[in-house]
Amino acid sequence: MSVQRTIQTVETHSGEPMRVITGGVPPIPGSTVYEQMKWLQENDDQLRKLMLREPRGYPPLCCNLIVPPKHPEAAAGFIIMEQIEYPVMSGGNTIAVATVLLETGMIPMQEPVTEFTLESPAGLIAISARCRDGRVQEVTFENVPAFSVYQDAVIEVPELGQVTVDVAWGGMFYVIADVNQFDSLELVPGRGRDITRTAALILKAAQDQLPVEHPDYPGIGITIAQLSGPTDNPHADRKNAVMVASGPIDFDTPASWTGGVDRCPCGTGTCAKMAALHAKGELQLHQPFRHEGILGHVYTGELVREVRIGDRVGVVPTISGRAWITGYCTYVLQSDDPFPDGFTVGDIWGAQEDTTGALHAPALKL
């Protein structure tokens, strides 16, 4: 068998499926994990496509690559890969990576609590993991600072009209809309198609109408949308559904109005929501915020202090949640595989962009 690539992974979920690559990738150049992420993006994007597209992946899947740390305080580094981007930070993926490192013995587990530091592309992330009987019961991490950019901004959204949104950074730039603005739309699994369609339209409108800039990451814009709503769960304060696009969105291409609903409560999305609430005076420091995902799973967040981010007031959040290992896999790419970058099909994927920058919707056959 002639094999071009062999990649070892640990499969996990926190509601959302999150793949963790533990072997098979050669050393990546760069003096920081951020620089390694940029090198991977520019020189070996095949890895992301191979792991996340079919036949090895599907739209809601995320992937992480564990790398040796570059910072002397970190025990390990990790690079996050998603369907359309390399986020500098992801909460659910941080929880998954910490769980894999401990439950596979890559980092020694100490019960009842193991503390260590991970190096993400966004910087150092302090981890505190509650452990029992060789298992990780809960991971708490201190995220990079979050901040609000727009509060109650009104945007024009095709098909929806005027929509009021917040925009905040929680490790990614989120546009957040209250679901009560849309008649009869509920944040339940059975409405996933309606959620992704609504969120995709809002995301594209926000990208067009609400410019953003992070002082440390030039060029990163709004890439993700969150619908926020009330919950009837006595163990949660708010419910959310985050839409992760599976391709570029074009108002003139209805097939592109889609993506995957994040199956977990979304760590960076929770941080962004807390930053937005804090900016409005609706969430105080050291006030726990329990955020429910579409499957009923809950992450608990807390704002622990205020900081300055450029000319803005930011907040440092913590997030607590859990992930579960579901499998140990070896993926291969044979040298004669006709799809070395994987593939997408328009039944479950959004319209894809080719090398010319044109969007291709699925062909309509009559």
Side-chain angles (χ1 to χ4, degrees):
M1 180 175 67
S2 177
V3 175
Q4 186 174 333
R5 302 190 81 154
T6 301
I7 298 169
Q8 290 80 38
T9 72
V10 180
E11 308 292 302
T12 79
H13 85 89
S14 185
E16 181 81 344
M18 299 169 185
R19 179 169 291 159
V20 181
I21 299 174
T22 57
V25 179
I28 299 172
S31 59
T32 66
V33 171
Y34 178 77
E35 289 182 2
Q36 291 181 306
M37 179 199 77
K38 297 299 291 185
W39 187 95
L40 195 66
Q41 183 177 18
E42 295 167 3
N43 296 276
D44 189 13
D45 195 40
Q46 182 198 53
L47 179 66
R48 179 184 65 87
K49 295 174 181 177
L50 189 71
M51 289 288 96
L52 294 180
R53 294 179 174 182
E54 296 181 63
R56 300 165 190 84
Y58 76 115
L61 181 64
C62 303
C63 190
N64 303 272
L65 171 63
I66 294 178
V67 295
K70 295 297 182 178
H71 196 285
E73 296 179 13
F78 68 109
I79 297 169
I80 309 147
M81 295 172 277
E82 296 188 353
Q83 293 293 349
I84 64 169
E85 63 180 322
Y86 290 78
V88 296
M89 182 54 189
S90 168
N93 284 295
T94 299
I95 292 169
V97 167
T99 299
V100 167
L101 288 168
L102 290 172
E103 292 197 9
T104 61
M106 296 175 73
I107 291 178
M109 180 183 293
Q110 297 180 354
E111 300 183 10
V113 176
T114 308
E115 295 183 342
F116 58 97
T117 299
L118 290 176
E119 184 180 359
S120 75
L124 296 180
I125 306 295
I127 303 291
S128 178
R130 288 197 298 107
C131 307
R132 185 177 69 245
D133 299 329
R135 297 283 307 282
V136 177
Q137 304 297 314
E138 183 180 62
V139 172
T140 298
F141 67 89
E142 183 174 291
N143 197 12
V144 296
F147 59 93
S148 174
V149 184
Y150 294 97
Q151 303 163 36
D152 297 323
V154 178
I155 57 176
E156 294 286 343
V157 184
E159 305 285 320
L160 301 176
Q162 290 190 333
V163 177
T164 301
V165 300
D166 300 324
V167 175
W169 172 270
M172 305 165 72
F173 277 118
Y174 285 78
V175 56
I176 306 170
D178 194 302
V179 73
N180 289 331
Q181 297 175 85
F182 315 109
D183 291 341
S184 76
L185 184 56
E186 298 179 88
L187 302 181
V188 294
R191 299 298 299 277
R193 188 178 300 274
D194 299 320
I195 290 169
T196 57
R197 179 181 182 276
T198 300
L201 291 167
I202 293 170
L203 174 59
K204 176 58 176 172
Q207 290 171 335
D208 291 346
Q209 299 170 44
L210 299 176
V212 296
E213 184 176 351
H214 194 291
D216 298 327
Y217 309 109
I220 293 181
I222 302 170
T223 58
I224 197 162
Q226 177 183 147
L227 298 184
S228 178
T231 177
D232 56 8
N233 183 345
H235 303 292
D237 301 302
R238 194 79 179 164
K239 191 171 187 178
N240 83 97
V242 164
M243 189 282 296
V244 181
S246 57
I249 301 165
D250 187 331
F251 288 139
D252 295 327
T253 309
S256 71
W257 305 350
T258 189
V261 177
D262 193 335
R263 274 77 167 140
C264 78
C266 192
T268 54
T270 299
C271 293
K273 180 64 176 179
M274 290 194 295
L277 290 173
H278 183 73
K280 296 180 180 183
E282 298 175 13
L283 184 69
Q284 306 305 312
L285 295 181
H286 307 296
Q287 178 182 346
F289 178 70
R290 302 167 302 173
H291 214 196
E292 180 185 8
I294 197 168
L295 297 179
H297 190 40
V298 175
Y299 286 171
T300 300
E302 184 177 328
L303 303 177
V304 296
R305 61 185 179 276
E306 290 187 345
V307 293
R308 299 293 302 184
I309 305 175
D311 59 355
R312 299 182 183 275
V313 176
V315 283
V316 175
T318 64
I319 295 290
S320 298
R322 188 176 183 184
W324 292 263
I325 290 176
T326 60
Y328 298 86
C329 299
T330 298
Y331 291 96
V332 299
L333 172 63
Q334 293 183 300
S335 57
D336 60 352
D337 190 325
F339 303 105
D341 291 342
F343 56 83
T344 65
V345 179
D347 54 350
I348 60 172
W349 297 86
Q352 299 298 305
E353 191 172 25
D354 66 14
T355 55
T356 68
L359 282 175
H360 288 267
L364 180 60
K365 296 183 179 180
L366 301 177

